[in-house]
Amino acid sequence: MEFVWQVENESVKLKTFLKGKGVSKKLLAKIKFHGGTMLVNDSVQNALHVVTPGDIVKIIIPDEGEHETLIPYDAPLEIVFEDEHLLVVNKPKDVASIPAQYHPVGTMAHRVKHYYNEQKYVNRVVHVVTRLDRDTTGLMLFAKHGFAHAMLDKQLQNKTLNKYYTALVSGKIDDLSEEGQIDLKIGRDMTSLIKRQVTEDGQEALTNYWLEKKTAEVAQVKIQLKTGRTHQIRVHFSGVGCPLLGDNLYGGNMDLGIDRQALHCTRLEFIHPFTHEPMILTLEIPEDMKQVMNQ
């Protein structure tokens, strides 16, 4: 895969210029030792070469091949957006994002691997950028090569890649403001291997929300996480007396027609790492959540 830039400002070493474009030391080493090339004005150069304004810099990154241990899994894949760098899909319920002890096959990673194989892509390593819990549905972002993954990880760290969710909650819904923030620390529940809880000695956790709709029993809320704690949305709304519908782990109502946590990633906002265009991808809530609100 090739990437090309023109030097615009001061004269600097090639490695310094590439660092400014997001090329890490690890990627430089891959280019150097695994079949890649760095060129300046079509001449091969090393990282210490000094580039000057007007120079054309090209890097050729070697193909990644594939994860040989990740077994392809043939299952439907609903693609929301795709280009040569990114893939965004709609994750269904009851599917884990990545392989784990209790979900060794059939995950979204396995499904994407099958899709890459079917398309005969040269890069078949599956790079998961944004994960979702097994029963959470909605937008899930993959990078199609390691350079894109690194660039998007930087946006996650800098909080310029934002995810928005829609949840259905019940309980003390009359206590919810039109717009609010839940500021409750989250830590492990020592009685469970997976459960978390609100606790004074936990990690800082902030959740912003906006009330979108409300019936006599259910509120539909838009949510943005300001921190990324495990089960944060589920723990926070349970902590304020409004657990997610279908979330039996955190006390959610199981009698309103939905049997999984009513949580859906509805919106992704980020800057495309190579075109630099603002990316805004949206997705409606799924049918099981719609039916609850329409009852």
Side-chain angles (χ1 to χ4, degrees), residues 10 12-21 28 47 49 51:
E10 59 192 0
V12 293
K13 292 179 180 178
L14 179 56
K15 67 178 183 179
T16 303
F17 174 80
L18 291 174
K19 181 180 179 181
K21 298 301 182 183
L28 275 178
H49 175 81
V51 297

Side-chain angles (χ1 to χ4, degrees), residues 17-33:
F17 174 80
L18 291 174
K19 181 180 179 181
K21 298 301 182 183
V23 178
S24 65
K25 290 182 179 179
K26 182 178 179 180
L27 182 54
L28 275 178
K30 181 178 181 180
I31 294 170
K32 182 176 180 180
F33 298 112

Side-chain angles (χ1 to χ4, degrees), residues 133 182 184-189 194-199 203 205 207 225 229-244 247 249-251 263:
D133 287 348
I182 303 173
L184 296 170
K185 293 181 179 180
I186 294 176
R188 287 187 174 274
D189 183 333
I194 61 172
K195 194 175 180 182
R196 301 299 194 270
Q197 65 180 351
V198 172
T199 175
Q203 294 178 300
T207 302
L225 296 177
R229 309 304 175 204
T230 300
H231 295 178
Q232 180 172 321
I233 292 172
R234 300 162 67 188
V235 175
H236 265 178
F237 279 90
S238 178
V240 297
C242 300
L244 273 62
D247 189 359
L249 186 62
Y250 293 105
L263 185 62

Side-chain angles (χ1 to χ4, degrees), residues 205-277:
L206 295 174
T207 302
N208 292 340
Y209 73 86
W210 297 263
L211 184 61
E212 292 186 319
K213 297 178 184 178
K214 189 166 70 171
T215 69
E217 294 183 273
V218 180
Q220 178 176 311
V221 289
K222 175 184 172 182
I223 299 164
Q224 181 189 22
L225 296 177
K226 304 305 288 184
T227 52
R229 309 304 175 204
T230 300
H231 295 178
Q232 180 172 321
I233 292 172
R234 300 162 67 188
V235 175
H236 265 178
F237 279 90
S238 178
V240 297
C242 300
L244 273 62
L245 268 59
D247 189 359
N248 59 359
L249 186 62
Y250 293 105
N253 191 318
M254 305 298 294
D255 300 322
L256 292 176
I258 190 166
D259 59 0
R260 55 99 181 180
Q261 67 226 26
L263 185 62
H264 181 73
C265 183
T266 51
R267 186 179 178 98
L268 286 176
E269 295 179 356
F270 58 96
I271 302 299
H272 194 291
F274 303 107
T275 69
H276 308 296
E277 296 177 359

